[in-house]
Amino acid sequence: MTGIALIIAFIAAIVLMVVAIAKFKVHPFLSIMGVSLLLALVAGIPLAQIPDVIAAGFSGTFSSIGIVIILGALIGSILEQTGAALKLADLVVKIVGKKNPELAIGLMGWVVSIPVFCDSGFVILDPIRRAMVRRTGTSSVAMTVALSAGLYISHVLIPPTPGPIAAANTLGIGDNLLLVMALGVVCSIFPIIAGLLYAKFIGKRVKSADETADSDEIVKTYEELIAEHGKLPSGINSLAPLVVPVILMALGTIASFAGFTGFALEICTFLGKPIIALTVGTIFAIIQLATSKNMKSFYEITDSTLKTVGPILFVTAAGGVLGKVISSTTLVQYIIDNAGFLMSLGIFFPFLLAALLKTAQGSSTVAITTTAGIMVSLLTPLGLDGTVMTTLTVMAIGAGAMTVSHANDSYFWVVTNFGKMTPEQGYKTQTLLTLVMGVATMIEIFILSLFF
């Protein structure tokens, strides 16, 4: 199969995958794998080659990103267990001040969600949010929306959260993770502003049940949360598992550009690889766990992390299979020969595809990894090849993967339930928030793409 018929088959495969996941509740792994097999058959890949294509797509993706995702998630779990995530939040409050509660809670979420899943991050920071509502008299809904915004932005844009790491590795820029982090920070500017403005806007129009909560109870809950961890780690210890890997990756990048040679280049390159850098970060996190006298829970933390990360790894590998199937057909060459329309979409194509998948099946990580698997063969036809443009493609995928959060997204229910809102209020707050932020992020990415 070639030409228009193959494009139609590709579109039909994507629609079938979305319907299977969203309507018939087929697990994303099975849906993606099944669609990949059907597309391979319909596209005319020789039967004898199909098993090898599937195996290559699965194993190639698994081997390139598996360890990185596991280590990043493990660092986050340890920071959560030791209370270092709370310490990071406290540091943000000191920097921003108490007069800007929405900005403070939004930046707290943004920082904490870099290593911690946004669902867990919201649960961790919600007592602080509620305490700040009473202490500052700020709208509870505004604070809920601001916290949700901060957590969600870094969750889809900034490694070491699994989605951005998976997308970067799938698209071939895993060794430039520092650039992905840097652009993730830059691309956070517009959505943070948009999220805070929307939080202030909607906070005046929607009232939640916890607006009338008792102040003493809220403060007690906050203090009890701190007491559960005893003495929180120092700021340096809390930052080390995150900052040290960044420094090491920066060292690897600097060494290659600065003309290092011999052993200096070799050691800097070694330490700058994401797997090694995150291994060092994990060691610092383990040291933090030991100093807090929680090493007895290390096995349980690791086991829980692996159970959480496992489904992400398998769905990511399934996305790699779909990408490998696509690259094994003549679709890419046909697009290269007839790329006029797609070229007109450019950087908006991965955004729209990820947004479709996100809205349909609910998981941002699934939307990111699946879209990345599809995009790996389309970078050149869309004019998105090159390190910077590929990194912006990762950002565009992340922007789409936050558009939009609604009832099929677990985070939607975390935000509405902890924010004491009804589902109807959740659609006015969380759903519209993610739409506003997704569009704002894509506008910033498009502006940046004009300079590269």
Side-chain angles (χ1 to χ4, degrees):
M1 181 181 291
T2 59
I4 296 297
L6 184 55
I7 291 180
I8 293 174
F10 166 68
I11 295 173
I14 298 300
V15 172
L16 177 61
M17 179 177 64
V18 169
V19 171
I21 295 172
K23 184 174 179 59
F24 297 104
K25 308 303 179 185
V26 179
H27 192 281
F29 175 78
L30 295 177
S31 177
I32 298 170
M33 291 294 289
V35 165
S36 299
L37 177 58
L38 289 175
L39 182 59
L41 292 169
V42 172
I45 297 176
L47 291 177
Q49 295 180 16
I50 291 177
D52 292 334
V53 170
I54 292 175
F58 191 90
S59 62
T61 304
F62 221 99
S63 63
S64 64
I65 66 176
I67 297 175
V68 172
I69 289 178
I70 290 171
L71 292 177
L74 182 57
I75 290 173
S77 297
I78 294 175
L79 291 183
E80 183 179 344
Q81 179 70 25
T82 60
L86 284 171
K87 185 63 179 183
L88 293 175
D90 290 340
L91 292 176
V92 174
V93 171
K94 291 180 181 179
I95 294 172
V96 176
K98 296 181 179 179
K99 295 183 179 180
N100 301 292
E102 295 96 347
L103 177 60
I105 200 71
L107 288 180
M108 274 191 226
W110 184 80
V111 170
V112 168
S113 195
I114 292 175
V116 178
F117 280 95
C118 56
D119 304 65
S120 301
F122 198 98
V123 175
I124 292 169
L125 296 179
D126 185 60
I128 299 177
R129 177 195 67 82
R130 289 186 286 129
M132 290 179 67
V133 165
R134 275 311 192 188
R135 290 169 179 172
T136 63
T138 308
S139 162
S140 175
V141 169
M143 292 290 281
T144 296
V145 172
L147 175 57
S148 171
L151 288 162
Y152 215 26
I153 291 166
S154 53
H155 178 73
V156 299
L157 295 180
I158 306 175
T161 46
I165 287 181
N169 279 276
T170 299
L171 296 179
I173 53 172
D175 288 341
N176 292 284
L177 211 54
L178 183 63
L179 177 61
V180 180
M181 289 179 177
L183 276 180
V185 172
V186 172
C187 290
S188 297
I189 296 173
F190 277 30
I192 285 177
I193 294 173
L196 291 176
L197 290 176
Y198 188 74
K200 290 178 179 291
F201 168 81
I202 200 66
K204 298 176 182 178
R205 291 161 175 79
V206 176
K207 300 298 178 183
S208 62
D210 68 348
E211 298 276 10
T212 58
D214 182 73
S215 175
D216 292 336
E217 181 180 345
I218 292 175
V219 173
K220 180 180 179 181
T221 303
Y222 170 75
E223 292 174 343
E224 285 179 348
L225 181 66
I226 300 296
E228 287 178 1
H229 296 284
K231 183 179 180 182
L232 294 180
S234 67
I236 294 177
N237 286 337
S238 299
L239 285 169
L242 300 179
V243 173
V244 171
V246 172
I247 293 175
L248 292 177
M249 284 184 279
L251 184 63
T253 302
I254 292 171
S256 62
F257 282 104
F260 285 21
T261 58
F263 179 74
L265 176 61
E266 185 176 346
I267 190 65
C268 290
T269 301
F270 169 75
L271 293 174
K273 292 290 184 181
I275 289 178
I276 302 303
L278 285 171
T279 297
V280 175
T282 303
I283 293 172
F284 274 93
I286 293 172
I287 292 172
Q288 183 182 109
L289 193 65
T291 55
S292 65
K293 299 180 180 179
N294 280 325
M295 279 301 294
K296 61 182 180 180
S297 62
F298 183 45
Y299 180 90
E300 293 180 3
I301 294 172
T302 305
D303 189 55
S304 176
T305 300
L306 291 175
K307 290 178 180 177
T308 301
V309 169
I312 295 173
L313 289 174
F314 284 112
V315 171
T316 300
V321 170
L322 181 57
K324 188 66 175 179
V325 168
I326 292 171
S327 65
S328 300
T329 68
T330 59
L331 177 63
V332 174
Q333 187 59 47
Y334 181 80
I335 291 175
I336 292 174
D337 296 335
N338 304 271
F341 173 68
L342 286 180
M343 285 295 289
S344 67
L345 289 177
I347 195 69
F348 288 96
F349 180 80
F351 168 76
L352 293 172
L353 181 58
L356 171 65
L357 292 171
K358 165 62 181 177
T359 303
Q361 53 78 40
S363 169
S364 293
T365 303
V366 170
I368 290 174
T369 55
T370 304
T371 304
I374 294 170
M375 285 300 302
V376 69
S377 301
L378 303 177
L379 292 175
T380 300
L382 289 169
L384 302 177
D385 50 342
T387 302
V388 177
M389 285 305 299
T390 301
T391 304
L392 287 177
T393 300
V394 173
M395 297 298 107
I397 292 172
M402 73 168 76
T403 316
V404 293
S405 172
H406 61 98
N408 63 357
D409 179 9
S410 61
Y411 189 51
F412 173 88
W413 296 109
V414 170
V415 173
T416 53
N417 288 333
F418 280 87
K420 306 297 182 183
M421 295 186 290
T422 64
E424 290 77 14
Q425 290 176 324
Y427 283 114
K428 294 178 182 178
T429 54
Q430 175 70 1
T431 301
L432 289 180
L433 167 71
T434 53
L435 174 62
V436 168
M437 291 198 305
V439 172
T441 308
M442 196 58 228
I443 291 173
E444 181 176 4
I445 291 168
F446 174 69
I447 292 172
L448 290 173
S449 72
L450 297 177
F451 296 94
F452 299 101

